[in-house]
Amino acid sequence: MGILYLVGTPIGNLGDFSPRAVEILNEVDFIAAEDTRVTLKLLNHFDIKKPMISYFEHNIREKGEKIAQRLQGGESCAIVTDAGMPAISDPGQDLVRLCRERGIQVRSVPGPTAAMTALALSGLPTGRFTFEGFLSVNKKARHEHLLSLVNEERTMVFYEAPHKLKRTLDDFKKTFGANREIALCREMTKIYEEVLISSIDEAIAHFEKTPPKGEFVLIVSGKEKENAAEYELEDAVKIARSLVEKGLSPAQASKEASKITSFKKSDIYRQLVV
């Protein structure tokens, strides 16, 4: 039985590629790559010569099965993405699950991760945070995702492409308000690394004048905690009712209002549906 290695690759600066990663890529029988053209540049830079197999979102079932069969036959494989750690907002998670189900050993060769790098650069609270990845392009799924974060108190981490950034910032403004603090990180570890710290409204104004370039990691501050002692049950019901108007079900709205006010979800729900 072979081994699947999750090998982290640089998110911009090739100097961040670890000696162990180079060693593993030289040792494995083949490499599963998100984009073989991108990975070939990395391999050429470190004089690594290994056969590659394409593995990305639209061929994960077919190629995943082939990779698993080769691993079961005794070959070893390293899976890499274009940048960062495999299996983080990445089809590699499906291959890891398949290997676990087949009893194939999976090992990690850690490397840079855009989300953690941006979070550290942001200066926003890092004690507790939630990784939200990419927002869906589907209008309904996107709306539901953002609604679920209306009362999120932890720092939130999102990925976004430059051509979708303006729409996402507009949606953030509707969801979190114009004054919520945000850090927009791009080109991390590269020559033109940039971290913009501003309010959501200021970020919108900035990118109206300056077209966004490069992949972004967006760090959004969580909602400030309310003083639960100031609330009455009537206030909790009003909060729940406003969340229903925004699209939440009465049960979901009661749950969120309970988090804010500390009143029981059942008490809020009874008053809400009267």
Side-chain angles (χ1 to χ4, degrees), residues 114-261:
M116 297 300 98
T117 303
L119 187 62
L121 287 170
S122 72
L124 293 176
T126 60
R128 296 183 67 207
F129 60 89
T130 171
F131 177 66
E132 300 298 325
F134 288 99
L135 289 170
S136 173
V137 293
N138 177 276
K139 188 174 181 180
K140 183 174 183 293
R142 185 184 183 90
H143 179 65
E144 290 175 349
H145 187 167
L146 288 171
L147 269 180
S148 73
L149 299 172
V150 167
N151 294 306
E152 179 58 69
E153 295 178 349
R154 295 169 294 181
T155 300
M156 295 167 279
V157 183
F158 298 85
Y159 286 162
E160 194 51 279
H163 64 284
K164 298 176 184 176
L165 180 66
K166 292 181 181 179
R167 177 191 174 189
T168 294
L169 290 176
D170 287 337
D171 287 344
F172 281 178
K173 181 176 179 178
K174 294 173 186 174
T175 305
F176 307 124
N179 296 321
R180 185 73 68 89
E181 189 174 11
I182 183 172
L184 302 98
C185 307
R186 58 179 288 273
E187 299 293 287
M188 290 178 295
T189 76
K190 299 180 183 178
I191 295 174
Y192 298 107
E193 178 179 295
E194 180 181 36
V195 180
L196 174 66
I197 311 291
S198 69
S199 67
I200 291 174
D201 227 14
E202 290 169 339
I204 291 172
H206 174 80
F207 287 106
E208 285 295 333
K209 298 177 181 177
T210 307
K213 295 180 181 179
E215 299 298 315
F216 282 81
V217 181
L218 310 175
I219 314 294
V220 183
S221 63
K223 181 179 180 180
E224 291 187 8
K225 289 186 177 181
E226 305 283 356
N227 185 351
E230 297 177 357
Y231 289 105
E232 300 292 340
L233 179 57
E234 183 180 350
D235 299 318
V237 175
K238 287 181 180 178
I239 292 171
R241 191 167 287 123
S242 70
L243 292 174
V244 169
E245 291 173 357
K246 290 181 178 179
L248 267 65
S249 68
Q252 291 174 316
S254 298
K255 182 178 179 180
E256 293 302 321
S258 175
K259 291 179 183 178
I260 297 171
T261 64

Side-chain angles (χ1 to χ4, degrees), residues 3 5 19-31 48-51 74-78 107 109:
I3 298 173
Y5 293 93
R20 181 171 173 240
V22 174
E23 179 184 344
I24 292 297
L25 292 188
N26 272 309
E27 289 179 356
V28 295
D29 294 298
F30 67 102
I31 297 169
I48 300 169
K49 303 185 186 303
K50 287 290 174 177
E75 292 185 82
S76 58
C77 172
R107 292 182 182 173
V109 184

Side-chain angles (χ1 to χ4, degrees), residues 6 56 59 84 88 124 214 271:
L6 308 179
F56 59 98
N59 71 2
I88 304 297
L124 293 176
Q271 294 292 322

